[in-house]
């Protein structure tokens, strides 16, 4: 088996491999070449640190990765691992992981991160064998038309650039890679205070051209907390900026009251994944 970096392949070859390797997967990840190229750029992936496994010169699997300094730590992210169906269970994933961990160590990574579907037992066992452990529950919820829950409070809201949350003492250092402020393209921050100017929390969200709101992070200030009415009010403030359709994609839940509130607003569960870390 041979391991090469993405740099040795064309975008078309990598797109074909991506679609073949994810065929039969529980989530439809099929993309065209343009979408694959955007994915590499938007996800902050590094072709020189993304790997392809070849058997007899034929690409049979991949791990794509990014490395970045976030909140004082050098993080790596496994932004996708997949093996073509006929080569699954034959050690390709293990060989790719060995090579990826070597890449992370050479890059001086402090913490290697990845996300995996909770029901993907083979992948969980593979990652755990390399020292990865679940650190956070991530949920994906969708709502076609948010049902308003008018519970108005005296909270004050201010829109800002995403980097405005980076210096907060309670900024979530263990957010998923794509939810970190520095990896969010065209996102906005919502800074939440009370009538006396006390910091109550923040949110990071983005709005698509069709008005769909995607919530990436929502973190109450643990020094103050939020009442359920305030939590509901802040969420509704975010939804009101869009068309009514909303998504939480691989969303880290910081407050257990959020899920019942979101269900009351009309959100439905789509999937759940583990955020896993390995300290190097």
């Amino acid at each position: 088996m041979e391991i090469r970096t993405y740099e040795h392949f064309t975008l078309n070859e990598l797109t074909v491999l991506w679609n073949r390797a994810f065929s039969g997967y529980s989530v439809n990840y099929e993309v065209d070449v343009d979408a694959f190229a955007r994915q590499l750029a938007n996800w902050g992936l590094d072709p020189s640190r993304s790997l392809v496994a070849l058997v007899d010169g034929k690409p049979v699997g991949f791990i794509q990765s990014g490395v970045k300094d976030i909140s004082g730590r050098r993080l790596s992210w496994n932004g996708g691992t997949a093996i073509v169906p006929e080569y699954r269970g034959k050690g390709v994933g293990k060989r790719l992981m060995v090579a990826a961990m070597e890449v992370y160590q050479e890059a001086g990574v402090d913490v290697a991160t990845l996300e995996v579907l909770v029901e993907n037992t083979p992948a969980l066992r593979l990652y755990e064998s390399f020292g990865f452990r679940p650190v956070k529950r991530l949920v994906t919820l969708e709502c076609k038309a948010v049902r308003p829950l008018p519970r108005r409070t005296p909270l004050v809201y201010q829109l800002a650039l995403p980097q405005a949350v980076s210096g907060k003492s309670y900024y979530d250092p263990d957010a998923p890679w794509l939810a970190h402020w520095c990896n969010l393209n065209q996102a906005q921050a919502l800074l939440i205070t009370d009538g006396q100017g006390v910091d109550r929390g923040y949110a990071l969200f983005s709005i698509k051209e069709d008005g769909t709101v995607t919530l990436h992070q929502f973190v109450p200030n643990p020094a103050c907390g939020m009442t359920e009415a305030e939590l509901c009010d802040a969420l509704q403030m975010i939804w009101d900026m869009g068309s009514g359709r909303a998504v939480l994609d691989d969303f880290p839940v910081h407050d257990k009251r959020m899920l019942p509130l979101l269900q009351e607003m009309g959100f439905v569960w789509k999937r759940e994944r583990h955020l896993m870390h390995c300290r190097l």
Side-chain angles (χ1 to χ4, degrees):
M1 190 181 305
E2 182 183 2
I3 304 294
R4 295 185 182 180
T5 66
Y6 268 21
E7 297 165 308
H8 293 85
F9 301 88
T10 67
L11 280 173
N12 186 66
E13 289 171 330
L14 292 171
T15 304
V16 170
L17 174 60
W18 170 280
N19 289 331
R20 286 188 61 221
F22 274 121
S23 63
Y25 204 64
S26 58
V27 179
N28 181 13
Y29 286 137
E30 185 174 355
V31 295
D32 59 21
V33 174
D34 290 340
F36 183 81
R38 287 194 302 270
Q39 190 171 276
L40 287 176
N42 293 339
W43 291 2
L45 296 169
D46 184 346
S48 70
R49 292 174 172 139
S50 299
L51 309 174
V52 173
L54 300 98
V55 174
D56 298 327
K58 180 170 63 175
V60 298
F62 67 87
I63 289 181
Q64 51 186 22
S65 299
V67 173
K68 188 172 289 190
D69 295 323
I70 301 175
S71 298
R73 300 179 299 176
R74 173 154 285 199
L75 301 183
S76 68
W77 179 57
N78 176 342
T81 300
I83 313 299
V84 300
E86 58 267 35
Y87 285 90
R88 292 171 188 167
K90 297 183 179 180
V92 178
K94 183 175 182 179
R95 178 67 184 87
L96 280 166
M97 280 297 297
V98 168
M101 297 300 280
E102 291 174 352
V103 167
Y104 301 157
Q105 289 174 342
E106 291 173 1
V109 168
D110 299 308
V111 182
T113 76
L114 56 85
E115 299 96 35
V116 60
L117 289 166
V118 295
E119 66 268 24
N120 192 345
T121 302
L124 276 168
R125 289 174 178 167
L126 173 65
Y127 298 139
E128 287 174 343
S129 72
F130 282 87
F132 284 84
R133 296 292 180 267
V135 296
K136 194 165 291 189
R137 175 190 179 195
L138 307 176
V139 297
T140 294
L141 308 172
E142 293 183 2
C143 184
K144 294 182 179 179
V146 175
R147 191 159 47 241
L149 299 179
R151 302 178 187 177
R152 295 304 177 189
T153 67
L155 291 177
V156 177
Y157 303 102
Q158 178 185 357
L159 290 174
L161 295 174
Q163 51 262 46
V165 308
S166 63
K168 291 187 177 293
S169 61
Y170 60 96
Y171 176 77
D172 182 10
D174 294 328
W177 177 271
L178 293 179
H180 276 292
W181 70 267
C182 54
N183 289 328
L184 289 170
N185 296 319
Q186 300 179 338
Q188 300 179 68
L190 186 71
L191 308 180
I192 307 167
T193 59
D194 63 16
Q196 286 70 49
V198 176
D199 183 359
R200 302 298 299 280
Y202 73 84
L204 290 170
F205 68 98
S206 55
I207 304 176
K208 293 183 178 179
E209 290 184 2
D210 65 0
T212 298
V213 176
T214 299
L215 182 61
H216 306 287
Q217 284 196 52
F218 188 107
V219 186
N221 185 347
C224 304
M226 281 189 181
T227 67
E228 184 173 301
E230 289 173 332
L231 190 61
C232 180
D233 188 34
L235 287 169
Q236 193 61 55
M237 176 68 182
I238 296 168
W239 311 140
D240 286 347
M241 286 186 270
S243 63
R245 185 175 185 275
V247 177
L248 292 82
D249 191 15
D250 282 338
F251 182 80
V253 179
H254 288 269
D255 191 317
K256 293 182 179 179
R257 297 171 299 172
M258 282 193 70
L259 291 180
L261 273 176
L262 290 166
Q263 290 174 334
E264 192 176 351
M265 291 176 171
F267 284 81
V268 296
W269 182 91
K270 301 297 290 185
R271 69 172 182 266
E272 181 179 340
R273 300 211 287 182
H274 292 303
L275 173 62
M276 303 186 78
H277 282 185
C278 176
R279 297 190 177 275
L280 302 181

